[in-house]
Amino acid sequence: MISGFGGSLLSSLFNRAGISVGASGALFGLLGAMLSELLTNWTIYANKFVALLTLIFIIAANLGVGILPHVDNFAHLGGFTSGFLLGFIFLIRPQYGYFNQRNNPRGYAAPSAKSKHKP
């Protein structure tokens, strides 16, 4: 929702000639959050470059649709930028292991498991 608001904000700042409505800013916010999650958890992925190239292709294809008439690309860019930045703040980082400790009973010390990922 916040990335949709960011897309609408950027659209209203730069596209004063018309009114733009739709959920495309929020959808681009999800793409931006996916990109920030990919960059944050880079060591977890098995096919790193395939995932990155696939995501970049999807983003480029959707931004390419923005050159059509009556499509507000400012909403797309605002939603993508806000989703990308918010993804670094809100998405979890499983390599730190703090999400497993959250549900443990009080006073329970979990045994340290050997990480299967390279440092």
Side-chain angles (χ1 to χ4, degrees), residues 29-87:
L30 291 175
L31 289 173
M34 287 173 63
L35 183 62
S36 67
E37 189 272 335
L38 178 68
L39 295 176
T40 301
N41 299 320
W42 184 256
T43 59
I44 295 175
Y45 285 89
N47 295 327
K48 298 169 176 60
F49 294 106
V50 172
L52 182 65
L53 288 177
T54 303
L55 190 58
I56 287 175
F57 176 75
I58 291 170
I59 292 168
N62 284 317
L63 281 175
V65 171
I67 63 171
L68 294 173
H70 306 295
V71 176
D72 189 10
N73 229 3
F74 288 114
H76 297 169
L77 293 174
F80 179 79
T81 304
S82 59
F84 181 72
L85 296 175
L86 289 169

